[in-house]
Amino acid sequence: MVDVRPFRGWRYDLDVVGDPATALCPPYDMITPEAQAALRRSNPYNVVHLEAGESLDWDNPAQEQYSTTADLFRDWTGKGVLKRDPEPSYYLSRQLFNHEGTEWTRLGLTACVGLETYDGGQVLPHEYTEAPAVRDRVTLMKACNANISPIMGLYRDAEGTLDPVFQQVMSAPPALDADGGKDLRASLWQISDPALSETITRFFQDKPVFLADGHHRYHAALTFQQEQLEAGDIAHGHAGNFVMMTLIGFDDPGLLVLPYHRTLGGLSPDEFSEVQRRLGEIFQSSPIPENTPLDAESAAGRAGDSHAWVTVGPQGETPALLTLRPEVAWRDWGPLAVSEAWILEEKVLRPVLGEATLAHLGYIHSQQEAVESVVSGGSQMAFLLRPFPMGQFEALVTQRQRLPRKSTFFYPKLPTGLVINQLDATL
């Protein structure tokens, strides 16, 4: 069972910070140095001062990298920039956003979720993590003794049990309404009513949680918990045994998953020729006519194929739709063969490039940027992929499968700064 509980969150005092939209930021791994500078300028209390700290160089962390961040967090809580709710609460957030001309609405429930190792099957990951990023987040947690940003988790509510709870909560005005313009508006409601909280807690008792975004932060929370346990600093029920997570239903109509496209570069002529040969063995190619959408979703739909992607060759030569040859027994390759990214890496690239495969791959959200990378000569080839289907995602992750790196892009990322969880008390 997953232990989901309300908590006493720290939230901005809007009388102090002003426009809340200027106080929010993306998760740390989406913050470029340029974005960090712009966010710092937008508001002296922008949460980027806590989330990104003093450094974005994960490979060279300073010994006291987040000491200034910790001092700032104490200053903000001491001066009332951040105020702590007096009673344990759940927090319901609503994100309104635009994607390619369509308006979307997504609901998320922010809670403290009991930390579980992956062996128990209650919290299910789909990615592997990298040590430098994990260590960076552990350092921040230790310095501030807090979760600054929420992890994104998914759950299944096929019967719609929580829908009436959420509708009741949203019938009242939000505690916060951050209007970031046409692209994103975030609203937040506090849920402190004991009856509603009990309904929520009870609902999650027999539900697994799927990690959608924030694997490094979850791994960091496990590491932090273990270090605290070994030091005797936390006991059962202590907040250090939990992590802040925003939970979104698989059936939420605003759960939008975008693809990560791949670019390929740095191959020798012989390597590139061999990659093309292997592609030809597994896939049949058909040119995409001019003035036809290049996105793989549309192209695959026209082809009626379960495995398909669009390739753009050297210098942007005629894009082509690649579909599996009928004689290819892809089901014999195992459960992950439903993923085009897995086939690309394991059946095309890795036999040629071996352990260097990932070093030759780039991961890009924008289809246009992926194509331009090839046209400009920065990459040798681009692979335009479809979004990973959520039905396959749920089935594979339930089977404890880890997907290829950058298989999913849950859009948009959760905003940081709506609520902060301090790890200093018993929940």
Side-chain angles (χ1 to χ4, degrees):
M1 94 182 222
V2 177
D3 190 354
V4 175
R5 301 189 189 184
F7 65 102
R8 295 176 56 219
W10 287 93
R11 294 187 288 137
Y12 277 120
D13 183 338
L14 301 185
D15 290 335
V16 176
V17 303
D19 181 3
T22 66
L24 306 180
C25 80
Y28 74 109
D29 55 349
M30 299 293 291
I31 302 172
T32 64
E34 295 76 19
Q36 185 186 36
L39 289 164
R40 286 175 179 269
R41 290 193 299 268
S42 69
N43 192 319
Y45 301 116
N46 189 289
V47 74
V48 75
H49 292 277
L50 305 179
E51 174 74 351
E54 301 104 59
S55 172
L56 291 167
D57 187 357
W58 307 339
D59 293 316
N60 297 288
Q63 183 68 30
E64 301 297 331
Q65 182 174 337
Y66 291 111
S67 59
T68 303
T69 303
D71 291 341
L72 186 63
F73 183 52
R74 284 190 292 270
D75 182 62
W76 286 4
T77 57
K79 289 182 176 178
V81 176
L82 293 165
K83 290 187 175 180
R84 197 170 198 179
D85 288 321
E87 62 279 321
S89 304
Y90 288 111
Y91 301 89
L92 181 65
S93 60
R94 181 182 66 195
Q95 287 182 274
L96 307 178
F97 59 96
N98 183 291
H99 178 66
E100 296 184 347
T102 300
E103 299 293 332
W104 298 72
T105 301
R106 187 177 72 188
L107 297 180
L109 181 77
T110 301
C112 273
V113 176
L115 290 164
E116 300 272 353
T117 62
Y118 299 144
D119 295 340
Q122 297 302 306
V123 175
L124 298 166
H126 73 271
E127 290 183 349
Y128 292 102
T129 55
E130 299 176 3
V134 171
R135 195 67 244 169
D136 173 85
R137 294 295 94 179
V138 172
T139 305
L140 177 61
M141 288 180 68
K142 279 186 171 181
C144 296
N145 201 32
N147 303 137
I148 306 299
S149 60
I151 294 165
M152 182 189 291
L154 304 176
Y155 65 92
R156 174 67 67 186
D157 184 8
E159 293 77 26
T161 302
L162 294 181
D163 289 346
V165 174
F166 293 164
Q167 293 306 315
Q168 179 179 339
V169 170
M170 291 189 296
S171 66
L176 176 149
D177 201 0
D179 191 348
K182 67 181 181 65
D183 292 330
L184 179 63
R185 179 177 176 179
S187 303
L188 186 77
W189 288 263
Q190 179 187 3
I191 306 175
S192 56
D193 179 88
L196 294 181
S197 292
E198 176 59 26
T199 298
I200 293 169
T201 300
R202 189 168 56 249
F203 167 81
F204 282 103
Q205 286 180 351
D206 61 350
K207 300 289 190 300
V209 169
F210 297 73
L211 295 184
D213 185 58
H215 286 72
H216 289 93
R217 282 169 283 165
Y218 191 85
H219 190 164
L222 286 172
T223 303
F224 177 83
Q225 177 197 38
Q226 186 59 40
E227 293 178 0
Q228 296 292 97
L229 287 171
E230 291 174 356
D233 292 337
I234 59 175
H236 179 74
H238 190 278
N241 293 307
F242 295 77
V243 67
M244 183 171 64
M245 193 177 294
T246 297
L247 300 160
I248 299 169
F250 273 111
D251 298 307
D252 191 304
L255 183 63
L256 178 59
V257 185
L258 303 180
Y260 265 108
H261 306 298
R262 269 63 171 164
T263 57
L264 184 67
L267 275 63
S268 69
D270 287 346
E271 289 171 333
F272 188 69
S273 177
E274 181 63 13
V275 165
Q276 290 182 308
R277 187 190 70 78
R278 292 194 67 84
L279 281 170
E281 281 185 349
I282 299 173
F283 291 90
Q284 50 194 6
S285 174
S286 56
I288 296 179
E290 290 187 22
N291 303 318
T292 302
L294 285 186
D295 67 280
E297 189 83 65
S298 299
R302 294 192 298 271
D305 197 282
S306 61
H307 287 82
W309 66 59
V310 172
T311 61
V312 180
Q315 282 73 56
E317 67 185 28
T318 305
L321 174 67
L322 267 61
T323 55
L324 279 179
R325 294 187 176 278
E327 67 271 18
V328 173
W330 62 270
R331 289 180 178 83
D332 295 342
W333 294 341
L336 286 175
V338 299
S339 162
E340 285 94 17
W342 183 89
I343 293 176
L344 173 63
E345 289 184 15
E346 300 300 326
K347 296 299 179 179
V348 177
L349 300 180
R350 199 169 293 278
V352 179
L353 304 173
E355 294 302 313
T357 295
L358 298 183
H360 291 280
L361 280 174
Y363 305 89
I364 300 179
H365 300 309
S366 167
Q367 173 182 299
Q368 181 179 350
E369 290 179 13
V371 173
E372 289 176 353
S373 174
V374 177
V375 173
S376 67
S379 302
Q380 293 166 289
M381 184 175 282
F383 302 91
L384 308 181
L385 304 184
R386 295 180 289 180
F388 203 98
M390 280 294 93
Q392 292 179 359
F393 174 95
E394 186 176 5
L396 287 171
V397 177
T398 299
Q399 298 170 32
R400 316 289 182 87
Q401 298 289 339
R402 302 287 182 100
L403 305 183
R405 184 183 184 189
K406 304 293 186 184
S407 287
T408 57
F409 178 38
F410 292 91
Y411 181 87
K413 297 282 188 175
L414 293 171
T416 296
L418 292 176
V419 62
I420 292 172
N421 173 42
Q422 193 159 18
L423 306 172
D424 65 349
T426 299
L427 290 176

